[in-house]
């Protein structure tokens, strides 16, 4: 029985906490969008207040004052929003300010033939407005204004200043308001979660496209370099054949053998471009093989990865690239004649295995977590940390050790 399954379901549902929600609401694109929406809604309320002022009875001055006050208050909010671009605090201010104006309107109303139901309906939809404009956290704070107003006017002696309402209204409105608040918060949380995940997905796509473009550019330079080398050797092959035939005709077999060995070493300048069927792994190995070649040593690569494996492309890229990048950086401190990088990466339909070996200069120190300490001036250790995180995510493990002057990385993951 998998006892962690319910917890995993809960984590998926509530994976964004208060900090995540606040950070998202404070992000620049969201601020711009919500500020624009706030201006549109406030403008609509101003138009409504002006129309209500014009169309209401000339004798109903009390209502006209309230509507004009609301219109002026909303106009001030629009001006402040233009200046500060801070929609969250302004939303809270707007909710409480509007409720304060309505509070004074209701307790000072003397004509009880004028119904207040429209105002209470406005207050009831307040949580949806504040949550939409300011997000779950700030919006819920703003929505508390309506709850406080209903408590003050229905559960304190101030209710004697109101026109008489039925007991259903006075007893149940605060409770109904809390239910509406929670409903609005849940709906806004789901919408915000979708927006956050869409943002993450868009960033992942941009990262993939950027990485893909960079890899294609590097691979293209490898192809162009190989093409130039092959053209050169194709042009000179007749001369090589004549020289070789001359050695053989003269019986100088040792020189012929030495000449063939020299010619074979020249062909090593052509970088292998097909390591396995998986395009990502193949591209990365091709790129790093070319980089190693420029530094005067070979990448010893063994890869057996099918075209498709059940691992996210971003994580597969990060896994292989970080392993090779760390190994390549380590070779900068190793004597040129000792440099090499060996990598083996295989997938058997269930497990993905990665192993790299490379010489390391001096002692490598490890943290209590098992990760090697970075030798850079600014110690990040991000590469090894990423490798370990990816291995853990896929139900595996990553180990780092030094053995006989070699740094050895091993990672095993379950990918099904």
């Amino acid at each position: 029985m998998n006892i962690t399954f319910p917890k995993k379901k809960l984590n998926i549902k509530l994976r964004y906490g208060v900090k995540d929600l606040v950070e998202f609401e404070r992000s620049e694109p969201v601020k711009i969008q919500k500020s624009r929406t706030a201006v549109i809604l406030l403008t609509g309320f101003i138009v409504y207040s002006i129309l209500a002022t014009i169309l209401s009875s000339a004798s109903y001055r009390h209502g006209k004052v309230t509507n004009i006050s609301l219109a002026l208050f909303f106009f001030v909010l629009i001006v402040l929003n233009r200046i500060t671009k801070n929609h969250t605090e302004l939303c809270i201010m707007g909710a409480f300010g509007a409720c304060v104006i309505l509070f004074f309107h209701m307790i000072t109303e003397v004509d009880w033939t004028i119904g207040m139901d429209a105002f209470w309906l406005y207050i009831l939809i307040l949580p949806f407005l504040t949550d939409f404009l300011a997000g779950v956290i700030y919006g819920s704070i703003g929505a508390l204004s309506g709850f406080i107003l209903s408590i003050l006017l229905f559960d304190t002696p101030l209710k004697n200043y109101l026109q008489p309402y039925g007991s259903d209204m006075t007893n149940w409105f605060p409770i109904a308001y809390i239910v509406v608040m929670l409903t609005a918060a849940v709906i806004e949380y789901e919408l915000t979660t979708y927006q956050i995940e869409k943002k993450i997905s868009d960033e992942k796509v941009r990262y993939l496209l950027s990485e893909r473009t960079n890899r294609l550019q590097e691979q293209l330079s490898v192809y162009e370099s190989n093409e130039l080398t092959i053209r050169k050797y194709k042009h000179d092959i007749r001369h090589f054949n004549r020289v070789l035939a001359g050695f053989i005709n003269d019986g100088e077999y040792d020189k012929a053998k030495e000449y063939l060995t020299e010619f074979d070493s020249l062909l090593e300048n052509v970088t292998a471009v097909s390591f396995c069927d998986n395009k990502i792994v193949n591209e990365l190995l091709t790129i790093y093989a070319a980089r190693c070649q420029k530094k005067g040593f070979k990448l010893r690569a063994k890869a057996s990865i099918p075209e498709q494996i059940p691992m996210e492309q971003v994580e597969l890229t990060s896994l292989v690239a970080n392993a090779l990048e760390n190994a390549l950086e380590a070779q900068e401190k190793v004597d040129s004649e000792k440099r090499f990088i060996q990598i083996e990466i295989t997938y058997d339909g269930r497990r993905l295995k990665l192993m790299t070996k490379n010489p390391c200069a001096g002692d490598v120190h490890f943290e209590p977590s098992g990760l090697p300490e970075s030798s850079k001036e600014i110690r990040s250790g991000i590469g090894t940390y990423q490798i370990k995180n990816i291995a853990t995510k896929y139900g595996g493990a990553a180990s780092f050790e030094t053995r006989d002057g070699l740094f050895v990385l091993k990672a095993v993951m379950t990918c099904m």
Side-chain angles (χ1 to χ4, degrees):
M1 182 176 69
N2 188 356
I3 58 173
T4 63
F5 185 73
K7 187 183 290 185
K8 192 173 288 187
K9 289 285 283 185
L10 183 65
N11 285 340
I12 290 174
K13 200 68 178 173
L14 303 174
R15 56 191 171 279
Y16 299 113
V18 173
K19 184 180 177 183
D20 299 315
L21 297 174
V22 170
E23 282 182 357
F24 177 76
E25 205 63 41
R26 292 284 193 178
S27 63
E28 198 60 32
V30 173
K31 286 172 68 175
I32 293 171
Q33 177 198 352
K34 293 293 182 72
S35 293
R36 188 186 302 121
T37 305
V39 170
I40 294 171
L41 288 176
L42 288 172
T43 302
F45 288 136
I46 290 173
V47 171
Y48 171 80
S49 299
I50 293 173
L51 288 175
T53 303
I54 296 171
L55 298 176
S56 62
S57 172
S59 62
Y60 188 45
R61 295 180 180 178
H62 184 261
K64 290 181 182 291
V65 170
T66 298
N67 286 322
I68 291 172
S69 299
L70 286 170
L72 289 173
F73 178 63
F74 292 146
F75 178 74
V76 170
L77 288 178
I78 290 177
V79 173
L80 290 174
N81 182 71
R82 293 286 188 184
I83 296 171
T84 64
K85 302 294 184 183
N86 200 339
H87 66 289
T88 51
E89 279 80 355
L90 289 176
C91 182
I92 296 171
M93 185 192 306
F96 276 90
C99 284
V100 168
I101 293 172
L102 293 177
F103 170 78
F104 283 108
H105 174 80
M106 290 173 176
I107 64 172
T108 56
E109 178 62 68
V110 293
D111 186 356
W112 284 0
T113 63
I114 303 297
M116 294 292 147
D117 293 347
F119 289 117
W120 287 111
L121 285 174
Y122 161 75
I123 293 167
L124 202 59
I125 66 170
L126 186 63
F128 292 100
L129 294 174
T130 56
D131 283 3
F132 178 72
L133 289 177
V136 179
I137 307 303
Y138 295 109
S140 296
I141 295 172
L144 283 174
S145 58
F147 178 69
I148 294 170
L149 180 65
S150 65
I151 292 293
L152 281 175
L153 296 182
F154 291 146
D155 291 332
T156 71
L158 288 172
K159 67 183 178 181
N160 298 322
Y161 290 87
L162 302 179
Q163 59 180 284
Y165 292 100
S167 60
D168 280 351
M169 178 74 163
T170 56
N171 292 338
W172 290 99
F173 187 88
I175 297 173
Y177 189 86
I178 287 294
V179 172
V180 171
M181 271 188 67
L182 291 174
T183 303
V186 170
I187 292 172
E188 183 59 29
Y189 178 83
E190 292 299 323
L191 289 173
T192 304
T193 298
Y194 169 77
Q195 290 175 313
I196 293 174
E197 289 177 345
K198 186 176 184 301
K199 181 183 176 185
I200 293 171
S201 176
D202 290 344
E203 288 175 352
K204 187 180 289 188
V205 169
R206 282 196 296 271
Y207 171 81
L208 276 172
L209 289 175
S210 174
E211 284 295 301
R212 177 69 171 159
T213 301
N214 292 336
R215 293 202 307 269
L216 285 173
Q217 287 175 345
E218 289 203 49
Q219 200 170 17
L220 183 60
S221 68
V222 172
Y223 290 152
E224 289 174 348
S225 175
N226 283 350
E227 186 180 4
L228 288 173
T229 303
I230 291 170
R231 273 187 190 175
K232 177 177 177 293
Y233 293 153
K234 184 178 179 181
H235 179 267
D236 293 341
I237 194 71
R238 288 174 297 173
H239 303 299
F240 287 125
N241 287 342
R242 287 171 185 169
V243 172
L244 183 62
F247 285 137
I248 294 173
N249 289 334
D250 294 340
E252 298 178 301
Y253 301 114
D254 289 338
K255 287 186 178 182
K257 183 179 178 181
E258 184 181 338
Y259 189 76
L260 282 173
T261 303
E262 182 182 345
F263 182 69
D264 187 57
S265 66
L266 291 175
L267 290 177
E268 290 183 359
N269 291 329
V270 180
T271 305
V273 292
S274 181
F275 292 91
C276 64
D277 293 332
N278 187 277
K279 292 180 180 179
I280 291 176
V281 175
N282 193 70
E283 287 170 3
L284 289 169
L285 291 177
T286 301
I287 290 166
Y288 279 92
R291 290 184 185 177
C292 292
Q293 193 169 283
K294 287 180 181 178
K295 293 184 180 294
F297 66 95
K298 289 187 66 176
L299 174 69
R300 307 172 187 174
K302 176 185 177 183
S304 178
I305 308 291
E307 186 175 355
Q308 297 290 337
I309 65 170
M311 174 181 267
E312 289 191 23
Q313 294 184 16
V314 173
E315 289 164 339
L316 181 59
T317 300
S318 179
L319 182 74
V320 179
N322 277 313
L324 288 170
E325 188 66 32
N326 288 344
L328 190 61
E329 286 178 0
Q331 300 316 289
E332 299 285 349
K333 300 178 182 179
V334 176
D335 294 338
S336 57
E337 65 276 5
K338 295 181 180 179
R339 294 176 182 174
F340 76 86
I341 297 175
Q342 179 183 346
I343 179 170
E344 294 181 14
I345 179 167
T346 59
Y347 178 67
D348 60 7
R350 186 171 183 272
R351 291 187 181 277
L352 177 68
K353 297 179 182 179
L354 170 70
M355 187 275 291
T356 64
K357 288 182 183 179
N358 58 270
C360 53
D363 295 331
V364 178
H365 301 284
F366 291 87
E367 298 174 359
S369 62
L371 295 174
E373 290 183 358
S374 176
S375 58
K376 298 177 184 177
E377 255 180 71
I378 301 176
R379 298 191 172 188
S380 61
I382 292 175
T384 52
Y385 179 79
Q386 282 284 84
I387 292 169
K388 186 174 182 179
N389 269 5
I390 293 169
T392 303
K393 176 182 176 180
Y394 286 89
S399 66
F400 310 88
E401 63 175 339
T402 54
R403 188 170 60 235
D404 300 327
L406 298 178
F407 181 83
V408 182
L409 155 67
K410 292 181 179 179
V412 180
M413 289 139 281
T414 301
C415 304
M416 294 188 296

